[in-house]
Amino acid sequence: MLLEAVFRQYGYDFRDYAYSSLNRRISYFAQRLNIATISELQGKILYEPKLMEGLVNTLSITVTEMFRDPSFFEVFRKKIIPYLKEIPHIRIWHAGCSSGEEVYSMAILLHEEGLYEKSIIYATDINEKVLKEAKEGKVPLKKMQQYTKNYIEAGGIKEFSKYYCANEKCAIFHSFLQKNIVFAHHNLVTDQSFNEFHMIICRNVIIYFNEQLKERVFQLFYESLTEDGYLGLGSKESLICSSYTDQFQEVDVQNKLFKKVT
Ligand SMILES: C[S@@+](CC[C@H](N)C(=O)[O-])C[C@H]1O[C@@H](n2cnc3c(N)ncnc32)[C@H](O)[C@@H]1O
C-alpha cells in the first residue's frame, strides 16, 4: 500500500524492487523517524515531499567506489577498447551512476586510451542528491588511497594524483574529465530509452530489483544498444536465466561483460 501510494503521488515506482531489502530499508527509515507503523509513515509521506526525498535516499543504496572491481576495468581495456577505437563518436551510458566515482573512472580510462575527446558519457540516476554530488566531481580525500590502489589494479598507467587537486577534505577532479559527461535524472523503472549507445554500464543496480523488473531493464538496454554494443553488469548480476540470454553473448563471464548479438 505504501509503495502504491508513493507511486501515485510522486511517480517513484519501487513496487518491483526486491522485497527483503526494500522491507528492511523501509523499517529502518520509519524507526529513524520514530514512526511506529507503515500506515503512519504513509500518511506523513503523502503530505511531506521532503520526507519523500528522504525515503528515495534510503531506498536507493548508493555505495560506490572508483575503479570498483578493478578487473572489470582491466578487462574493459583489453576487450572493449579495441571495439571503441573503431567508432568515430562513442556514446556510453552509466545507468545508476550514484555519486559519479564509476563515471570519473571511465573518463580517466578513456582519456588514457586517447578516446575521451571523441566520447560522450551519459550518467544517470534516480537519486537527485547523489547526482548533485557527482556533478561537483569531489570525493573525500580519505578514500583516495583505496582508489589509487584500485586504479593500479585496474591497469592504470599514470600517476593517479595527476587527475585531481586536493584540499584538506576532498579530492577535486580536474575539469577536463567532466567536459564530456552529461549527468541527468533517469529512472530505469519508468523512463524510456533516450539514445543509442555503444556501451551501457549498469553495475550493482538491478541486484535490488525483482525478476520482472530486471526483464524490463534488460529490454530497455537491448533497445538502447547499437547492433553490436556491449553491456557491463555488476559482479553479482547476470543476463543468464533471463529471456535475453540469446540476444547477448558472454564476453567475459567473471566480469559480467556481454555483447549484443541479435
Ligand atoms: C549501489 S549504487 C551503484 C553505483 C555504481 N554503478 C557502482 O557500481 O559503483 C546503485 C545506484 O542505482 C541507483 N538506482 C536505484 N534505482 C534506480 C532506478 N530505478 N533508476 C536509476 N537508478 C537507480 C541508486 O540511486 C544508486 O545510486
Side-chain angles (χ1 to χ4, degrees), residues 13-14 17 56 59-66 68-69 94-99 101-102 124-127 130 186-190 201-209 213 217 234:
D13 191 353
F14 292 105
Y17 278 48
V56 172
L59 296 187
S60 53
I61 294 147
T62 57
V63 178
T64 188
E65 268 179 33
M66 289 197 78
R68 184 179 194 174
D69 303 321
H94 282 265
C97 65
S98 188
S99 39
E101 282 81 342
E102 185 181 68
T124 63
D125 205 282
I126 192 185
N127 181 326
V130 286
H186 181 277
N187 188 337
L188 288 166
V189 184
T190 46
I201 295 167
C202 183
R203 301 166 69 215
N204 310 300
V205 180
I206 60 165
I207 192 171
Y208 302 109
F209 296 174
L213 185 50
V217 173

Side-chain angles (χ1 to χ4, degrees), residues 2-3 14 17-33 35 38 41 54-55 57-61 63 207-209:
L2 167 70
L3 298 180
F14 292 105
Y17 278 48
Y19 180 77
S20 59
S21 111
L22 196 64
N23 207 18
R24 216 174 30 248
R25 297 240 137 208
I26 292 173
S27 304
Y28 165 75
F29 183 70
Q31 258 171 27
R32 254 187 26 210
L33 297 167
I35 295 174
I38 298 300
L41 176 63
L55 184 66
N57 292 340
T58 306
L59 296 187
S60 53
I61 294 147
V63 178
I207 192 171
Y208 302 109
F209 296 174

Side-chain angles (χ1 to χ4, degrees), residues 26-228:
I26 292 173
S27 304
Y28 165 75
F29 183 70
Q31 258 171 27
R32 254 187 26 210
L33 297 167
N34 276 327
I35 295 174
T37 64
I38 298 300
S39 57
E40 189 189 340
L41 176 63
Q42 181 172 327
K44 283 197 179 334
I45 288 229
L46 294 186
Y47 295 101
E48 292 179 42
K50 269 271 162 225
L51 214 54
M52 182 59 213
E53 260 176 54
L55 184 66
V56 172
N57 292 340
T58 306
L59 296 187
S60 53
I61 294 147
T62 57
V63 178
T64 188
E65 268 179 33
M66 289 197 78
F67 294 97
R68 184 179 194 174
D69 303 321
S71 65
F72 175 89
F73 290 91
E74 197 186 16
V75 170
F76 185 93
R77 264 189 213 264
K78 282 192 195 130
K79 298 193 177 171
I80 315 288
I81 288 291
Y83 159 77
L84 295 179
K85 284 199 165 150
E86 302 302 316
I87 292 167
H89 301 289
I90 302 166
R91 289 181 303 277
I92 296 178
W93 179 15
H94 282 265
C97 65
S98 188
S99 39
E101 282 81 342
E102 185 181 68
V103 187
Y104 289 104
S105 307
M106 182 57 70
I108 289 170
L109 195 158
L110 292 171
H111 166 73
E112 290 184 355
E113 296 295 335
L115 297 180
Y116 187 61
E117 286 304 314
K118 63 165 184 166
S119 301
I120 179 141
I121 305 178
Y122 296 89
T124 63
D125 205 282
I126 192 185
N127 181 326
E128 294 287 358
K129 183 167 169 274
V130 286
L131 274 176
K132 186 166 172 280
E133 289 168 19
K135 283 179 200 163
E136 285 173 359
K138 291 181 189 167
V139 293
L141 197 56
K142 59 177 189 278
K143 294 192 172 173
M144 288 321 261
Q145 199 177 352
Q146 177 64 43
Y147 293 174
T148 305
K149 188 169 168 280
N150 287 359
Y151 167 75
I152 293 165
E153 281 177 28
I157 50 177
K158 300 264 165 66
E159 196 69 45
F160 191 49
S161 58
K162 92 181 188 74
Y163 294 113
Y164 59 87
C165 55
N167 61 28
E168 324 78 73
K169 284 192 177 158
C170 294
I172 306 151
F173 293 112
H174 292 316
S175 57
F176 80 91
L177 288 173
Q178 274 187 343
K179 200 166 63 89
N180 297 350
I181 304 176
V182 178
F183 288 105
H185 187 272
H186 181 277
N187 188 337
L188 288 166
V189 184
T190 46
D191 294 335
Q192 301 303 313
S193 176
F194 57 95
N195 212 325
E196 198 178 54
F197 304 95
H198 303 101
M199 173 92 217
I200 297 177
I201 295 167
C202 183
R203 301 166 69 215
N204 310 300
V205 180
I206 60 165
I207 192 171
Y208 302 109
F209 296 174
N210 71 15
E211 295 309 312
Q212 193 182 325
L213 185 50
K214 281 180 195 164
E215 286 285 320
R216 195 251 174 211
V217 173
F218 290 148
Q219 182 183 347
L220 178 67
F221 291 162
Y222 181 77
E223 288 168 3
S224 307
L225 280 170
T226 53
E227 256 179 34
D228 52 356

